Amino acid sequence: MNDDEPVLLHTEGHLLHITLNRPRALNALTHAMVRRIDEALTLAAGDDTVAAVVIRGAGDRGLCAGGDIRSIYEDARAGRRASVDFWRDEYRLNARIARFPKPYVALMDGIVMGGGVGVSAHGDVRIVTERSRVAMPETAIGFVPDVGGTYLLGAAPGELGTHLALTGRSVGAADAVLCGLADHFVPSHRLADLTTELARSAEPAGARNIVQRYATEAPEGELTEHRGWIDSCYAADTVEEIVDRLVDSGVPAAKETATELLGLSPTALKVTLASVRRARRLGGLEAVLDQEFRVSCRAFTGHDLVEGVRARIIDKDRTPRWSPANASGVTDAEVARHFEPLGDQELGLASA
């Protein structure tokens, strides 16, 4: 094991540890990291000495802040397609995690965003702590939730998933569990003891029982008290009507949310709303990942992704110039274009 490697692998007893090891970049995923994790899971699935896998992030700030956004920006600006190849392998990894035959334990401690959700929230044992902040913040950079995010958020109770998908807001432990993004709350100071005990168990079924013994009730969340206006406002058919309902609700928090939405990419908002609604009808994760791949490929060639990353990550002026600048300028045809088949470039997970 080389500490300079972006993904560290080591086996302790019957437990394979996968550690994302780019702490200064908040463990942001690169293509090489995705491939390394996929290779490790392939080997672990066929290794009878490995009873479970645990994934965590190096450092004390979080599991993973997402994909390497700067590299996607540079790739799009240069007219290259490396990002598309990255997404193809990343989404395949997300599907592999979801159907991994042994307990896949994700320590969602600290910041878990975007691609970090993809390598954790599709696992079958998902642990959050008092430090967890979980989000799919893509609309802030003119992008659309991917890595199976629309599948997860589409299945959240009521319209909570729609709210989180459009705003990109992060949630703590209790709300992550409420929305189906996590399963168990374990205080962060108990994670070391938990993984030590997992390593001792040779039976895959034992991993889930061990985690349940360490799990406790999470501190109270925030979303439950807002369910009334969230479910009512986000049930609207269009982004424009959602914003109108938020403004007219008489609830200060809802009005603040309307102002927030009006500052985000109108195209990303409309495509995100359609993505979440379509994901609910598609059913399986693989079909949703196929859809997200189409959307990501189309967003990659659009204006708002490059502009959003420029404003937030590159120049950091926080004044993106979206095109179109408002929701009324985003036509139904433009939204529908994001979902059109890619021909022989399809991801093809559902058909496989």
Side-chain angles (χ1 to χ4, degrees), residues 280-299:
R280 290 171 177 167
R281 299 192 296 270
L282 287 172
L285 173 62
E286 284 81 2
V288 175
L289 286 166
D290 285 345
Q291 172 177 276
E292 290 178 349
F293 186 70
R294 297 180 196 115
V295 170
S296 295
C297 289
R298 294 280 160 47

Side-chain angles (χ1 to χ4, degrees), residues 38-319:
D38 189 76
E39 291 169 359
L41 293 181
T42 299
L43 293 173
D47 188 342
D48 292 339
T49 67
V50 174
V53 172
V54 63
I55 188 166
R56 67 197 315 157
D60 57 4
R61 296 171 61 198
L63 170 66
C64 174
D68 191 337
I69 299 301
R70 185 179 291 270
S71 69
I72 293 173
Y73 169 85
E74 293 170 351
D75 192 37
R77 292 256 301 172
R80 297 189 295 263
R81 299 279 292 175
S83 297
V84 173
D85 295 335
F86 166 68
W87 287 324
R88 186 182 297 276
D89 285 343
E90 183 183 26
Y91 300 174
R92 286 173 174 167
L93 173 62
N94 302 146
R96 178 185 289 278
I97 290 169
R99 59 176 179 259
F100 190 67
K102 300 176 182 181
Y104 182 95
V105 183
L107 304 185
M108 302 170 71
D109 185 29
I111 293 174
V112 185
M113 296 184 177
V117 173
V119 297
S120 59
H122 297 300
D124 54 354
V125 185
R126 306 164 301 173
I127 297 169
V128 282
T129 75
E130 75 283 356
R131 303 187 298 197
S132 296
R133 299 302 303 178
V134 184
M136 295 298 299
E138 285 75 12
T139 53
I141 58 167
F143 197 42
V144 178
D146 64 338
V147 298
T150 60
Y151 172 80
L152 295 165
L153 294 176
E159 295 296 333
L160 293 179
T162 309
H163 171 62
L164 295 182
L166 293 182
T167 62
R169 288 182 183 174
S170 65
V171 295
D175 289 331
V177 173
L178 171 65
C179 292
L181 301 172
D183 305 300
H184 307 284
F185 171 80
V186 177
S188 59
H189 71 271
R190 302 202 71 194
L191 294 180
D193 291 340
L194 168 60
T195 55
T196 297
E197 190 167 346
L198 286 173
R200 297 192 187 112
S201 176
E203 296 298 325
R208 297 177 180 86
N209 295 331
I210 291 169
V211 171
Q212 288 176 350
R213 291 203 302 271
Y214 279 81
T216 61
E217 186 174 353
E220 187 175 355
E222 301 175 1
L223 288 179
T224 299
E225 66 174 296
H226 298 297
R227 276 291 300 275
W229 64 263
I230 288 175
D231 286 351
S232 174
C233 295
Y234 286 96
D237 292 331
T238 66
V239 169
E240 295 94 327
E241 188 179 354
I242 288 171
V243 171
D244 287 343
R245 289 190 185 187
L246 290 168
V247 171
D248 296 338
S249 68
V251 180
K255 292 183 178 181
E256 292 172 7
T257 301
T259 301
E260 183 180 344
L261 291 177
L262 290 171
L264 301 175
S265 161
T267 300
L269 289 177
K270 285 203 167 185
V271 176
T272 294
L273 181 62
S275 294
V276 173
R277 298 276 165 86
R278 287 170 176 247
R280 290 171 177 167
R281 299 192 296 270
L282 287 172
L285 173 62
E286 284 81 2
V288 175
L289 286 166
D290 285 345
Q291 172 177 276
E292 290 178 349
F293 186 70
R294 297 180 196 115
V295 170
S296 295
C297 289
R298 294 280 160 47
F300 181 69
T301 60
H303 169 275
D304 281 6
L305 174 57
V306 169
E307 175 60 12
V309 177
R310 180 207 65 77
R312 183 167 288 262
I313 306 297
I314 307 302
D315 297 338
K316 299 181 180 179
D317 57 27
R318 302 282 176 145
T319 56

